[in-house]
Amino acid sequence: MGDAGDITLASYEAGANLYAARPYVMGEAMARYLARIAKLVEGGTILELGSGPGRDAEYLETFGVSVTRTDGALAFVEMMRAQGFTAEVLDMRTEQFNGTYDAVVANAVLLHLRRDEFEVVARKSRGVVSVEGLLAFTVKKGDGTSWSNAKLGLPRHYTYWQDSQLRQVLGSTGWETLSIETVVGSTADWLFVIARAN
Ligand SMILES: C[S@@+](CC[C@H](N)C(=O)[O-])C[C@H]1O[C@@H](n2cnc3c(N)ncnc32)[C@H](O)[C@@H]1O
C-alpha cells in the first residue's frame, strides 16, 4: 500500500464534488468555535489549511477577518476559485508555509496526518504566525489510526488523538494550549483545539 496521506489526498481530489454536494449545516459548537477564533484574531489574517469547499473561510470572514484559502487538492482550490475566491494549492506535509498571519486554522484536516507529520505541520505553522499568533484545529478523539471509506466511498486515513498527546506535541513545537473542547461526534468525539505561540 502507498503512503496514507497520498491515498487520502487522492480520495479528496476525486471526491471533492461529492464532498461539497453533501448536505451541510454548521453545528452550534463549530459556529461558536470559529466565532471565538475570529474574536481572538480581531480583524486580522488567517492561513487556512485544507479549506475544502471554503465554508469555514466564508463564515470566518463574516467577522471581518481575512482568510488565505489553501488545500492540498486542486479540485477544492478550483472550486473556491470558481466561487470568486483566491485559493492556492498547499500540501501541508511537503510544502513550505509562507507569509505571516495572526492564526493558522485547520478544521478536520490535521486528523489525516501521521503523528510525525502533525509535528512537522505544527512547527511550520509556528513559523508563520505573529507574536501571540494562534493555531486552531479540530481532530478526532481516540487512540490509534484507522481507514474509512465513509461519505466519499474512497479511502481516507485518520489518526486519533488524546488531549494529553496534543498538549505534549504542541508544547514541544512552540505552542501553549489555550483550550481543548470535546464535542460529541457521530463516529468519534471531536477535539476543538486553540493554541497560542509562546
Ligand atoms: C474533512 S475535509 C475538511 C475540509 C474543510 N476544512 C471543512 O471543514 O469542510 C479535509 C480537507 O483536508 C484536505 N487535505 C487532505 N490532505 C491534505 C494535505 N496533505 N495538505 C493539504 N490539505 C489536505 C482535503 O483535500 C480536504 O479539503
Side-chain angles (χ1 to χ4, degrees):
M1 187 178 266
D3 178 78
D6 289 344
I7 293 168
T8 300
L9 197 47
S11 293
Y12 279 113
E13 198 70 81
N17 287 331
L18 183 58
Y19 183 93
R22 286 176 55 82
Y24 176 77
V25 178
M26 186 178 288
E28 266 178 46
M30 178 55 62
R32 248 187 293 117
Y33 173 68
L34 294 176
R36 180 167 169 230
I37 294 165
K39 192 164 179 218
L40 287 166
V41 167
E42 270 190 316
T45 55
I46 291 175
L47 170 64
E48 185 179 34
L49 307 174
S51 297
R55 295 164 183 146
D56 297 334
E58 279 193 63
Y59 186 68
L60 283 162
E61 286 185 336
T62 64
F63 296 94
V65 301
S66 166
V67 181
T68 296
R69 295 155 168 82
T70 72
D71 202 281
L74 177 62
F76 278 127
V77 168
E78 286 180 339
M79 197 180 287
M80 291 185 280
R81 286 177 181 164
Q83 291 161 11
F85 299 105
T86 300
E88 298 300 331
V89 173
L90 179 66
D91 185 329
M92 62 186 166
R93 299 167 302 164
T94 54
E95 293 184 70
Q96 211 181 304
F97 296 178
N98 296 312
T100 306
Y101 303 88
D102 296 303
V104 175
V105 171
N107 177 21
V109 177
L110 308 189
L111 75 189
H112 292 310
L113 297 173
R114 297 189 311 253
R115 292 187 208 285
D116 61 312
E117 292 172 328
F118 178 98
E119 186 170 339
V120 169
V121 169
R123 243 181 246 291
K124 288 199 290 190
S125 300
R126 179 66 185 80
V128 293
V129 296
S130 46
V131 177
E132 301 212 327
L134 302 180
L135 173 61
F137 61 94
T138 65
V139 289
K140 292 189 186 217
K141 184 180 174 100
D143 300 305
T145 62
S146 75
W147 284 97
S148 170
N149 274 39
K151 296 181 184 167
L152 297 186
L154 295 165
R156 291 182 290 169
H157 190 257
Y158 293 84
T159 298
Y160 298 86
W161 291 89
Q162 297 291 350
D163 303 32
S164 56
Q165 293 171 305
L166 288 172
R167 284 178 196 278
Q168 197 271 321
V169 183
L170 289 170
S172 70
T173 52
W175 299 100
E176 174 200 357
T177 303
L178 292 184
S179 61
I180 302 184
E181 183 190 358
T182 301
V183 175
V184 174
S186 52
T187 53
D189 286 349
W190 288 89
L191 296 173
F192 287 16
V193 184
I194 300 182
R196 184 167 54 202
N198 65 15

